């Protein structure tokens, strides 16, 4: 499993409610959704352990991820927006790296849904402004 898949899988345990059809109609998707993630943090929404799994997407194209609490190692990868508006994260920092995994993004309010081809169900997370975990 690549670090991107690991990072996205970390968010898979989030127990967020699914959006209703009326909420889905107002969802931000594609390039606009990915652009909204830049400079903000995705957090697994687990009421018992908030902040266990977090990803901060720096505006300069670097993704910083941490799992299992404050004292864990921070992983760093490169993120880009594909021509068709997907969020793509690669294991190497080089922009031309072709070994990236991509996800379609949908944002409704502070709820983010990520659809990854290798997973049966979309991943969900809460969108937090800025970098509250100082990643």
């Amino acid at each position: 499993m690549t670090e991107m898949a690991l990072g996205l899988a970390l968010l898979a345990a989030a127990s967020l409610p699914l959006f209703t059809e009326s909420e889905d109609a107002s969802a931000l998707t594609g390039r606009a959704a990915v652009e909204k993630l830049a400079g903000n943090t995705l957090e697994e929404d687990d009421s018992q352990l908030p902040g266990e799994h977090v990803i901060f997407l720096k505006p300069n194209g670097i993704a910083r991820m941490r799992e299992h609490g404050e004292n864990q190692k921070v992983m760093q990868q490169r993120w880009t927006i594909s021509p068709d508006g997907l969020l793509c994260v690669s294991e190497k920092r080089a922009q031309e790296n072709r070994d990236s995994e991509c996800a379609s993004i949908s944002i409704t309010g502070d709820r983010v849904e990520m659809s990854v081809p290798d997973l049966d169900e979309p991943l969900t997370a809460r969108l937090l402004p800025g970098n509250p975990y100082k990643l």
Side-chain angles (χ1 to χ4, degrees), residues 23-129:
E23 288 174 321
D24 250 5
S26 64
L28 189 61
T29 60
R31 175 174 287 279
V34 178
E35 288 174 348
K36 183 170 183 163
L37 297 179
N40 295 302
T41 299
L42 293 169
E43 175 191 60
E44 175 184 19
D45 190 19
D46 182 336
S47 60
Q48 293 179 343
L49 298 168
E52 280 289 294
H53 308 292
V54 292
I55 300 173
F56 173 59
L57 296 171
K58 295 174 75 171
N60 66 356
I62 301 298
R64 295 180 52 86
M65 299 173 256
R66 185 188 71 217
E67 61 177 300
H68 302 299
E70 293 180 22
N71 297 323
Q72 295 300 313
K73 177 182 172 186
V74 174
M75 298 177 279
Q76 184 167 293
Q77 298 179 335
R78 180 139 190 90
W79 72 271
T80 59
I81 303 173
S82 73
D84 50 350
L86 301 176
L87 169 65
C88 298
V89 179
S90 59
E91 291 186 30
K92 301 192 185 221
R93 293 183 62 177
Q95 207 164 13
E96 63 277 358
N97 180 26
R98 295 171 197 232
D99 293 332
S100 63
E101 295 190 40
C102 300
S104 61
I105 304 295
S106 176
I107 302 173
T108 303
D110 68 347
R111 302 296 184 203
V112 179
E113 186 174 282
M114 297 172 280
S115 296
V116 180
D118 294 343
L119 299 176
D120 293 335
E121 295 184 19
L123 305 173
T124 56
R126 186 164 63 128
L127 183 62
L128 301 175

